Amino acid sequence: MTTWTVSPQPVGSPESAALLREYLVDVADRWYLLYEGRRCAPEEIERHLAEMRSEDPGVLLVARYGGEPAGCVGVRRLDARTAEVCRMFVRADRRGLGGSGALLGAAEDVARAWGAARIVLETRRDLVEARALYARHGFGDVAPYKEGDVYSEVWLGKELTGA
């Protein structure tokens, strides 16, 4: 039986960089197709990647399925009591096999280790699969916790037990 393993990985490693690029192409293409009727251009992907690199990465967790990199999630501190999930991604050919749950569980474990009492995230309305996943894992609506991001349309959070 093939299993998932999740562990921290440097953001700049080749595996992490490849997963983050795939994540960005996936979510950017969906946004551009929905709002502009086109895919994201290569120069736009490079600009968005540069923006991602300039943000505080926190911890990047990489999920492996059968030893092969198959997904990632970022976790960063917002304050002493709150952690944020970001850049949640599982490769298309590995979706539906439990990787997202493994990644979310590992992200919550990191937040608890930091002493966080809650974990939050922001997403878009069109990412319905992601929103359904978060609901299944106990996330509910919370007030917006950051402003100025055109891609932030839904804010979700969850109280952490055992923190």
Side-chain angles (χ1 to χ4, degrees):
M1 181 167 132
T2 306
T3 61
W4 288 93
T5 59
V6 180
S7 61
Q9 182 83 19
V11 173
S13 74
E15 291 173 340
S16 296
L19 286 164
L20 290 170
R21 178 178 289 278
E22 286 180 57
Y23 155 79
L24 184 57
V25 169
D26 186 51
V27 297
D29 275 352
R30 287 178 68 159
W31 191 89
Y32 279 92
L33 284 167
L34 180 63
Y35 292 104
E36 297 187 11
R38 65 177 180 88
R39 294 196 178 280
C40 195
E43 61 273 8
E44 291 166 321
I45 292 294
E46 294 308 318
R47 181 174 40 95
H48 291 306
L49 279 170
E51 290 169 5
M52 277 179 30
R53 286 185 205 109
S54 72
E55 296 174 358
D56 174 15
V59 172
L60 184 71
L61 301 171
V62 169
R64 296 178 190 295
Y65 186 73
E68 295 297 318
C72 64
V73 66
V75 188
R76 57 183 163 213
R77 291 181 202 229
L78 294 183
D79 60 44
R81 296 185 35 83
T82 310
E84 181 184 37
V85 170
C86 58
R87 299 183 184 103
M88 177 76 170
F89 175 72
V90 174
R91 287 183 164 147
D93 64 343
R94 296 292 185 249
R95 292 178 187 163
L97 301 173
S100 295
L103 283 163
L104 275 179
E108 290 178 16
D109 289 345
V110 167
R112 280 187 199 92
W114 290 340
R118 72 182 194 132
I119 193 163
V120 297
L121 60 91
E122 54 80 23
T123 190
R124 300 188 328 235
R125 282 189 286 275
D126 67 302
L127 299 177
V128 294
E129 303 93 339
R131 290 177 35 221
L133 167 77
Y134 300 134
R136 282 193 311 273
H137 287 270
F139 285 78
D141 292 330
V142 297
Y145 58 88
K146 62 181 178 180
E147 299 176 12
D149 186 347
V150 67
Y151 308 112
S152 298
E153 300 172 321
V154 177
W155 294 265
L156 303 171
K158 174 180 178 175
E159 296 301 313
L160 295 173
T161 57

